[in-house]
């Protein structure tokens, strides 16, 4: 599919007003997206586990305008309160997606959104937030085009979510999602995320992710700026090639169930991501002393127990602890006893792999 396939034909139905609501999860990348080209095209392919508990719920009320539509018309509420500070981000999203949703200026929208995870926890809400919003707009488009096929609905939702925030395109479906063209992954595309359809060993079923909230403060450098710094990064080409190779290796690992090899790829990806930050110009550092303390404790735990706990990082100081479901008792006991001391206010979130976004039925 190309971008043009997402430009709709004239709609067959008329819709005056209504409301739709979606709940969409966050995701955690195993191979990281870091670096992009024009129009949110990723510089390398990535793969993520869709999460289950970290979710954004968004509802969209729409009312057809009587007068000639000249601009976008929307109001935003976050956790019940009016949130004008989110306006520029949403305005930009609407501008980017308008060629694909030509009805946007014809309606007045009220967008209400809330997260299942604590506000300012440093948990990226752009993936869950942008995917939930994209799905809401697609539900409206489906009312305008009742014949729309399910596959198109899902693909286009991911395509639109990507234009809001790259990683958001991996939050529509579960359980493993690939985004970015890769030679040996069937149907992979730079334009949207696709579920990883190869064989996956049962070791990876219901994989756990305990998120340690190390630092809840504002990030010193946003992801968007970080991506841009990959443009003339001295190691960029090598890094992008490595991501392709890591996906090849992961494909084999998912088949074989080899957890030791899985850990090598996942931790290398996390440290490479932060190495890219530390070696860009200007360089920056998002890990905190407690991030490193946790990583060292994870290494030691693995050495002492032979269990398969590993870590990954996003663009921040928080640590995602990944481990197999059948090791959860001992692992969680260790996390609670030894690692919560490194979290701000002892805060952590228990999550696991999930199946993707769900429409919320309105009463
Ligand atoms: C480190 O998707 O937040 O989490 O496209 O600019 O919105 P934008 O960036 P964003 O970048 C996420 C980067 C990452 C790695 C990943 O999720 O693959």
């Amino acid at each position: 599919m190309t971008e043009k396939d997402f430009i709709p034909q004239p709609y067959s139905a008329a819709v005056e007003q209504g409301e739709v609501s979606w709940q969409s999860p966050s995701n955690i990348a195993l191979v990281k997206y870091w670096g992009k080209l024009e129009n949110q095209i990723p510089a390398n392919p990535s793969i993520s586990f869709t999460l289950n508990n970290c979710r954004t719920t968004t509802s969209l009320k729409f009312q057809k305008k009587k007068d000639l539509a000249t601009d976008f018309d929307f109001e935003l509420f976050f956790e019940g309160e009016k949130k004008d500070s989110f306006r520029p981000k949403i305005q930009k999203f609407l501008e980017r997606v308008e060629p694909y949703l030509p009805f946007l200026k014809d309606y007045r929208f009220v967008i209400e959104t809330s997260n299942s995870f604590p506000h300012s926890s440093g948990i990226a809400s752009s993936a869950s937030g942008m995917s939930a919003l994209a799905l809401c707009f697609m539900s409206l488009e489906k009312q305008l085009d009742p014949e729309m096929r399910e596959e198109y609905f899902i693909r286009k939702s991911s395509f639109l979510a990507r234009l809001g925030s790259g990683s958001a395109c991996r939050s529509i479906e579960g359980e493993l999602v690939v985004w970015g063209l890769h030679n040996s992954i069937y149907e992979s595309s730079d334009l949207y995320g696709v579920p990883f359809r190869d064989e996956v060993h049962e070791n990876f079923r219901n994989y756990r992710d305990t998120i340690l909230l190390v630092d809840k403060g504002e990030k010193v450098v946003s992801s968007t700026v970080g991506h841009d710094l990959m443009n003339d990064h001295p190691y960029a080409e090598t890094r992008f090639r490595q991501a392709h190779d890591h996906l090849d290796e992961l494909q084999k690992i998912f088949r074989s169930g080899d957890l030791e090899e899985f850990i090598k790829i996942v931790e290398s990806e996390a440290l490479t991501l932060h190495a890219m930050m530390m070696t860009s110009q200007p360089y920056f550092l998002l890990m905190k002393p407690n991030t490193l303390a946790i990583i060292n404790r994870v290494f030691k735990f693995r050495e002492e127990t032979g269990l398969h706990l590993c870590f990954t990082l996003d663009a921040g100081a928080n640590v995602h602890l990944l481990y197999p479901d059948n090791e959860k008792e001992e692992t969680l006991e260790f996390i609670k006893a030894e690692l919560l001391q490194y979290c701000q206010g002892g805060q952590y979130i228990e999550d696991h792999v999930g199946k993707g976004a769900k429409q919320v039925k309105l009463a």
Side-chain angles (χ1 to χ4, degrees), residues 138-339:
M138 282 309 293
S139 281
L140 169 52
E141 184 169 63
K142 182 147 172 56
Q143 293 185 22
L144 294 162
D145 172 17
E147 308 283 279
M148 186 188 294
R149 284 181 306 116
E150 179 65 16
E151 192 196 88
Y152 180 86
F153 181 97
I154 297 287
R155 286 273 152 92
K156 186 164 171 181
S157 299
S158 175
F159 171 85
L160 298 174
R162 181 195 107 241
L163 294 173
S165 176
S167 56
C169 78
R170 298 186 312 236
S171 273
I172 306 289
E173 295 177 278
E175 303 181 355
L176 278 163
V177 178
V178 177
W179 168 42
L181 196 60
H182 184 272
N183 269 341
S184 55
I185 297 181
Y186 180 62
E187 289 198 315
S188 59
S189 167
D190 284 342
L191 299 181
Y192 44 76
V194 292
F196 179 77
R197 295 208 193 277
D198 261 30
E199 197 184 320
V200 178
H201 193 279
E202 64 176 64
N203 281 352
F204 298 104
R205 292 278 139 74
N206 207 30
Y207 223 73
R208 318 295 304 183
D209 180 5
T210 300
I211 309 163
L212 301 185
L213 305 180
V214 170
D215 188 73
K216 305 194 288 171
E218 275 283 305
K219 277 189 261 179
V220 283
V221 176
S222 74
S223 291
T224 307
V225 172
H227 285 292
D228 280 352
L229 291 174
M230 286 304 284
N231 280 331
D232 20 56
H233 194 291
Y235 306 138
E237 283 316 310
T238 314
R239 158 59 196 152
F240 300 148
R241 234 183 357 261
Q242 180 199 43
H244 282 266
D245 294 344
H246 278 167
L247 257 165
D248 269 325
E249 288 170 53
L250 269 185
Q251 212 172 359
K252 291 187 206 118
I253 292 167
F254 285 134
R255 222 171 286 145
S256 69
D258 190 333
L259 293 173
E260 265 95 37
E261 290 302 310
F262 175 76
I263 291 171
K264 282 188 204 158
I265 304 282
V266 169
E267 292 188 343
S268 159
E269 276 291 319
L271 295 179
T272 301
L273 169 71
H274 284 258
M276 290 300 111
M277 300 172 187
M278 288 188 240
T279 49
S280 46
Q281 200 58 263
Y283 42 81
F284 61 106
L285 199 52
L286 298 182
M287 289 191 279
K288 298 279 179 192
N290 281 347
T291 313
L292 297 177
I294 293 166
I295 292 175
N296 281 315
R297 296 297 297 264
V298 169
F299 290 156
K300 192 151 168 272
F301 175 76
R302 224 163 44 219
E303 212 176 279
E304 286 171 0
T305 62
L307 293 173
H308 299 94
L309 171 64
C310 75
F311 69 87
T312 188
L313 307 166
D314 266 345
N318 295 334
V319 183
H320 287 250
L321 294 172
L322 302 177
Y323 48 100
D325 194 43
N326 64 4
E327 295 180 7
K328 70 168 177 255
E329 263 154 54
E330 294 142 286
T331 308
L332 205 52
E333 204 175 296
F334 161 73
I335 293 172
K336 286 184 182 162
E338 307 284 338
L339 300 185

Side-chain angles (χ1 to χ4, degrees), residues 49-149:
F49 274 139
T50 306
L51 295 180
N52 190 68
N53 301 338
C54 289
R55 285 177 172 268
T56 297
T57 305
T58 297
S59 76
L60 178 75
K61 291 195 186 99
F62 43 90
Q63 168 90 51
K64 190 106 188 241
K65 291 195 272 189
K66 303 264 179 289
D67 45 342
L68 195 70
T70 51
D71 204 356
F72 302 117
D73 189 348
F74 63 97
E75 249 189 302
L76 281 176
F77 292 87
F78 178 69
E79 280 163 11
E81 285 182 24
K82 203 152 189 257
K83 196 80 178 175
D84 285 334
S85 59
F86 288 177
R87 282 191 77 84
K89 203 166 175 164
I90 301 298
Q91 174 81 23
K92 195 161 164 203
F93 172 66
L94 296 176
E95 284 164 15
R96 279 190 189 158
V97 299
E98 200 200 2
Y100 310 100
L101 300 173
F103 58 82
L104 287 178
K105 285 184 178 153
D106 300 338
Y107 289 87
R108 176 173 164 61
F109 296 108
V110 179
I111 302 165
E112 292 184 67
T113 177
S114 62
N115 291 336
S116 66
F117 42 89
H119 183 45
S120 341
S121 56
I123 298 288
S125 56
S126 66
S128 51
M130 283 298 174
S131 52
L133 186 57
L135 284 157
C136 287
F137 284 124
M138 282 309 293
S139 281
L140 169 52
E141 184 169 63
K142 182 147 172 56
Q143 293 185 22
L144 294 162
D145 172 17
E147 308 283 279
M148 186 188 294
R149 284 181 306 116

